[in-house]
């Protein structure tokens, strides 16, 4: 079993920054890639950024230039640094792992709420 727990959300003004954390535990060796996703009210969940065990990184267009995904292997934690936040970034942010067959592992956690508002 793999468990991923999100934290670090909050209320921030437009233009501000937040750093989200995704702490992994359990059978972490089954994880090939960890992705950050978000779901805004009334919208479908969307992929924001991914990072593989080998360090390959990809971003959604909405995140490019503003968000940075990184990992601390010693802490089994993946981070999402979000800068220049916009009101449209308001959403619940989730992290989820996938195995080497690109099959999602485990289930969705509670996520962490990010609210960008003046």
């Amino acid at each position: 079993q793999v468990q991923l727990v999100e934290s670090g959300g909050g209320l921030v003004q437009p233009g501000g920054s937040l750093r989200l954390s995704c702490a992994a535990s359990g059978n972490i060796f089954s994880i090939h890639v960890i992705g950050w996703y978000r779901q805004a009210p009334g919208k479908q969940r969307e992929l924001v950024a991914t990072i593989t065990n080998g360090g390959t990184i990809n971003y959604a267009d909405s995140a490019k230039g503003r968000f940075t995904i990184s990992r601390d292997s010693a802490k089994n934690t993946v981070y999402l640094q979000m800068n220049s936040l916009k009101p449209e970034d308001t959403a619940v942010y989730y992290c989820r792992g996938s195995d080497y067959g690109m099959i999602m592992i485990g289930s969705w956690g509670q996520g962490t709420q990010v609210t960008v508002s003046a």
Side-chain angles (χ1 to χ4, degrees):
Q1 288 280 353
V2 171
Q3 294 179 331
L4 300 177
V5 179
E6 308 92 345
S7 63
L11 173 64
V12 64
Q13 293 186 340
S17 299
L18 280 175
R19 189 178 78 157
L20 307 183
S21 299
C22 172
S25 62
N27 187 20
I28 61 173
F29 297 105
S30 65
I31 302 173
H32 170 57
V33 57
I34 288 182
W36 278 102
Y37 301 78
R38 68 185 183 186
Q39 187 168 21
K43 295 187 177 181
Q44 290 189 334
R45 190 171 289 154
E46 61 177 358
L47 182 63
V48 176
T50 61
I51 185 167
T52 70
N53 285 347
T56 299
I57 290 172
N58 283 288
Y59 296 101
D61 288 343
S62 59
K64 289 179 181 177
R66 300 188 301 125
F67 294 2
T68 302
I69 190 170
S70 62
R71 59 188 294 161
D72 184 334
S73 297
K75 295 182 179 180
N76 295 328
T77 300
V78 171
Y79 303 99
L80 185 67
Q81 176 68 43
M82 304 187 296
N83 300 326
S84 302
L85 283 162
K86 305 174 182 179
E88 50 263 44
D89 294 318
T90 296
V92 179
Y93 284 71
Y94 303 86
C95 60
R96 188 88 183 260
S98 298
D99 62 20
Y100 287 84
M102 299 308 292
I103 304 298
M104 283 191 173
I105 298 171
S107 58
W108 295 105
Q110 293 188 337
T112 186
Q113 176 71 49
V114 172
T115 302
V116 185
S117 175

